[in-house]
């Protein structure tokens, strides 16, 4: 699937607060990251990272990269997930069904490594009190709106740009509250 002729992916967040039994919390917002050049499958364009990669760390260096300073608008090369759902609805797509499929993909991905997670936890953790783990999950939607896992990030980057802060600051506060660190937001 392309939006405005550009490839994109979804950066989503999952917090694990228990490993046995596993307990996961999927954050309801995230980031939609766009390539900065229109998609092309032409052979001469296959090495153009600004066409084929959606990573912010790559595209921020493109002179055409446009920051999104308006989180609810369909502008720039990065949107919030909530803005993406508004866009999908405006295009006639059943976004709650897509979101359910994405959440299933994220849970299944983490469950694939559950045995290894338990083994490392039992070896390394001193206590499970206030123990938690934040994962970044990168998802791609194909032309049939089927979600595909691109990557599970063990240490997801949390950028300082305003749109990232708009999404990530409430996510971090929610994560700390779920984990038992009561964050009030006051300095």
């Amino acid at each position: 699937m392309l939006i405005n002729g550009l490839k994109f992916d979804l950066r989503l967040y999952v917090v694990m607060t228990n490993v046995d039994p596993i307990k996961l919390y999927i954050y309801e917002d995230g980031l939609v990251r766009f390539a900065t050049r229109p998609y092309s499958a032409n052979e001469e364009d296959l090495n153009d990272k600004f066409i084929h990669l959606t990573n912010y760390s790559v595209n921020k260096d493109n002179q055409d990269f446009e920051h999104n300073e308006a989180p609810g608008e369909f502008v720039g090369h990065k949107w919030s997930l909530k803005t993406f759902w508004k866009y999908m609805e405006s295009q006639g797509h059943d976004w709650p069904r897509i979101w359910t499929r994405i959440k299933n993909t994220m849970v299944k991905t983490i469950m694939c490594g559950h045995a290894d997670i338990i083994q490392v936890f039992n070896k390394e953790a001193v206590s499970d009190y206030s123990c938690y783990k934040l994962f970044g999950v990168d998802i791609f939607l194909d032309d049939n709106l089927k979600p595909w896992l691109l990557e599970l990030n063990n240490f997801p980057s949390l950028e300082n740009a305003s749109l990232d802060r708009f999404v990530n600051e409430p996510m971090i506060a929610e994560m700390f509250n779920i984990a038992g660190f009561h964050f009030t937001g006051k300095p």
Side-chain angles (χ1 to χ4, degrees):
M1 176 178 187
L2 302 175
I3 295 180
N4 300 326
L6 302 173
K7 280 180 70 173
F8 68 93
D9 75 355
L10 310 175
R11 163 54 64 88
L12 306 167
Y13 300 100
V14 178
V15 174
M16 179 188 308
T17 60
N18 201 17
V19 295
D20 194 16
I22 194 164
K23 189 179 250 186
L24 302 173
Y25 295 88
I26 298 172
Y27 189 57
E28 295 291 322
D29 206 353
L31 297 167
V32 182
R33 306 172 306 176
F34 292 90
T36 48
R37 291 195 183 138
Y39 179 75
S40 168
N42 295 333
E43 190 171 337
E44 63 270 12
D45 294 328
L46 291 180
N47 290 324
D48 189 331
K49 62 185 177 183
F50 299 124
I51 291 174
H52 298 287
L53 299 178
T54 57
N55 307 59
Y56 172 74
S57 61
V58 170
N59 283 287
K60 70 180 180 181
D61 296 330
N62 185 342
Q63 66 184 12
D64 296 329
F65 184 84
E66 182 183 340
H67 287 276
N68 182 341
E69 301 297 330
E73 301 297 320
F74 308 142
V75 297
H77 291 103
K78 199 183 273 192
W79 296 354
S80 73
L81 183 65
K82 290 179 180 178
T83 300
F84 175 69
W85 294 142
K86 282 188 350 187
Y87 174 83
M88 294 299 280
E89 189 167 4
S90 77
Q91 300 299 304
H93 298 297
D94 182 7
W95 71 263
R97 183 172 183 266
I98 299 166
W99 182 227
T100 297
R101 294 178 76 194
I102 290 170
K103 290 189 289 187
N104 288 338
T105 300
M106 291 191 296
V107 169
K108 289 174 185 176
T109 298
I110 292 173
M111 291 306 296
C112 285
H114 188 228
D116 292 327
I117 293 169
I118 290 173
Q119 183 179 16
V120 171
F121 178 83
N122 288 334
K123 180 180 174 188
E124 302 290 334
V126 176
S127 167
D128 63 354
Y129 176 74
S130 293
C131 196
Y132 63 96
K133 176 69 182 147
L134 175 66
F135 293 101
V137 184
D138 297 342
I139 299 286
F140 172 79
L141 294 176
D142 67 19
D143 288 338
N144 296 316
L145 303 177
K146 179 180 178 182
W148 294 90
L149 174 72
L150 289 177
E151 183 177 18
L152 178 69
N153 294 278
N154 196 30
F155 298 102
S157 63
L158 301 172
E159 298 291 336
N160 225 3
S162 60
L163 179 68
D164 294 71
R165 291 179 68 114
F166 175 82
V167 170
N168 293 337
E169 284 181 354
M171 183 267 301
I172 292 168
E174 186 173 325
M175 176 185 69
F176 284 152
N177 285 327
I178 289 169
F181 301 107
H182 296 287
F183 178 73
T184 63
K186 296 179 183 177

